Amino acid sequence: MTSTIPLQSPIDHRSSHRDSGPSKRFARLSPRLARGSQEERHRLDRYCDSAGRAREVVVHDGYAGSRLIVDRDAITLGDRRLVAHLAADEPAGNAALVCRRYLEETHGSRHRCRAVTPEDFEIPPLLDANDGRLESSIAQDHAELHDRNGACYRLERLARREMSIPELRWQRHPRRTTEAPVPVSVREAVASLESYEPICAFTFEALARHHEDCDVSTTILRAELTRVQESPIVLNRRLRQATLAVIERQGLSMSEIAIRCGRVKRDSKGNESGETSWLARRLGILPEGGASTPTPWIHSDVLALIARSGLGLSPREVELG
């Protein structure tokens, strides 16, 4: 089960065995599932967010009988957020349990789930800790990822002098084999790849597999994944791509987009122009002051500002899932 709530949720976990072939049932998010009497049978609960907007938690059919628990705007049926992805053989009551736990933990907080993507309807949930396929998918020989600079990232057991057991951490192996590997956080690994997946997927599977393992510590890894999932600081890659596409397609300038966002500067003669350097730094094109490389991160509020005011797009269209 893929969930943004803590792994120690008292939900009945059972192993999942299903076909691995691609699903043809959902090629994209279907508006049909969001309307009509059918939707009444799929709604789990309704609530108001911190801004007073009506939202609801609903169940959508997923790949091979699985179910997606989705938090969305109750009026527009947009801004869909993935709360959990339940396996086909999990008890029907688990959907209500997930919903209740989710609403309890997000009440009064700025907890954020990632945006739902069309691919969520075409893949199975993350494998359960009892599924034998986890052994090969999470083994360090297979959990090997590379960034644009050729560095390799692996989940490995690290021995610590102050600990009697090793701890499971991501390590960066430099391209040069003469350099020693360096432990990095989940956030650092995600930033280096400029993508949440498959870093978060591998991490989640590792935590599930070692959930009751007394021979390895997962405390730090678990905390790192939670911080990435709940942080309002998100990747800016898709926003950057969308901005450059709009500039090319509509002929807009960086200055015009910055002005639309309220970032205006004036020269000595009073002439106005947009703060293009501000925009370029938010998009990860220019480095922040004192930094040598651009940041891959942006605050979700700033992302929403640039998307809505600067580009005329919905924030969920440019937020990386």
Side-chain angles (χ1 to χ4, degrees):
M1 180 182 78
T2 308
S3 176
T4 57
I5 60 180
L7 291 175
Q8 54 265 43
S9 174
I11 297 172
D12 180 19
H13 293 280
R14 300 183 182 181
S15 62
S16 170
H17 301 279
R18 56 184 71 83
D19 295 334
S20 58
S23 169
K24 296 182 180 178
R25 186 173 182 182
F26 292 95
R28 58 191 303 172
L29 298 180
S30 173
R32 179 175 54 82
L33 291 176
R35 295 177 172 82
S37 60
Q38 179 185 15
E39 183 55 44
E40 295 298 326
R41 297 194 298 270
H42 286 280
R43 182 180 296 120
L44 294 172
D45 208 340
R46 294 171 68 97
Y47 71 99
C48 288
D49 64 14
S50 58
R53 293 183 290 261
R55 298 189 65 84
E56 59 185 7
V57 181
V58 299
V59 181
H60 281 308
D61 294 329
Y63 171 70
S66 65
R67 288 161 294 159
L68 282 76
I69 313 301
V70 176
D71 180 354
R72 70 185 187 185
D73 188 292
I75 306 301
T76 66
L77 307 183
D79 190 23
R80 294 180 174 90
R81 300 283 167 174
L82 183 62
V83 176
H85 193 171
L86 305 183
D89 56 358
E90 290 203 39
N94 274 6
L97 285 174
V98 168
C99 175
R100 184 167 67 249
R101 181 71 178 273
Y102 169 71
L103 293 180
E104 289 173 353
E105 297 200 356
T106 59
H107 180 68
S109 71
R110 295 202 57 180
H111 182 96
R112 292 176 59 84
C113 302
R114 72 166 177 82
V116 175
T117 66
E119 290 76 19
D120 289 323
F121 293 86
E122 301 174 350
I123 60 175
L126 288 177
L127 305 179
D128 187 85
N130 296 319
D131 193 321
R133 287 176 291 173
L134 274 177
E135 187 67 35
S136 61
S137 68
I138 201 60
Q140 69 177 50
D141 291 340
H142 292 74
E144 183 173 296
L145 307 167
H146 297 267
D147 64 20
R148 65 180 64 182
N149 297 317
C152 173
Y153 296 79
R154 298 177 190 157
L155 264 176
E156 297 177 332
R157 298 188 182 205
L158 305 183
R160 299 292 188 187
R161 291 181 180 179
E162 63 274 16
M163 298 179 63
S164 59
I165 60 174
E167 63 178 1
L168 196 62
R169 295 290 303 280
W170 282 99
Q171 281 213 111
R172 178 192 291 123
H173 292 257
R175 186 173 184 177
R176 297 179 180 178
T177 56
T178 55
E179 299 180 23
V182 179
V184 295
S185 67
V186 173
R187 178 182 172 84
E188 289 174 305
V190 166
S192 296
L193 273 64
E194 289 194 78
S195 177
Y196 291 104
E197 304 302 345
I199 291 289
C200 289
F202 275 128
T203 303
F204 188 96
E205 291 177 2
L207 292 173
R209 179 173 175 241
H210 295 285
H211 184 48
E212 298 182 354
D213 189 348
C214 298
D215 296 325
V216 62
S217 172
T218 59
T219 302
I220 293 179
L221 191 65
R222 183 184 300 273
E224 291 175 349
L225 179 61
T226 299
R227 282 196 291 270
V228 168
Q229 291 176 322
E230 297 183 351
S231 175
I233 309 300
V234 297
L235 290 174
N236 60 21
R237 176 167 61 84
R238 185 171 290 176
L239 176 64
R240 178 170 64 250
Q241 293 170 342
T243 301
L244 295 177
V246 167
I247 289 174
E248 181 178 358
R249 185 172 60 251
Q250 299 181 13
L252 289 177
S253 66
M254 294 277 283
S255 178
E256 168 101 21
I257 295 173
I259 291 174
R260 291 181 179 183
C261 295
R263 305 294 300 201
V264 180
K265 62 181 180 180
R266 295 174 177 82
D267 61 20
S268 58
K269 297 182 179 180
N271 298 317
E272 294 186 348
S273 62
E275 292 186 42
T276 56
S277 59
W278 169 85
L279 181 60
R281 289 194 294 268
R282 301 291 83 74
L283 297 177
I285 296 175
L286 292 179
E288 299 284 353
S292 58
T293 58
T295 177
W297 302 104
I298 185 173
H299 195 286
S300 55
D301 290 346
V302 180
L303 178 145
L305 170 66
I306 296 174
R308 288 197 183 100
S309 302
L311 306 178
L313 300 173
S314 167
R316 65 188 180 89
E317 294 182 61
V318 296
E319 183 173 340
L320 198 62

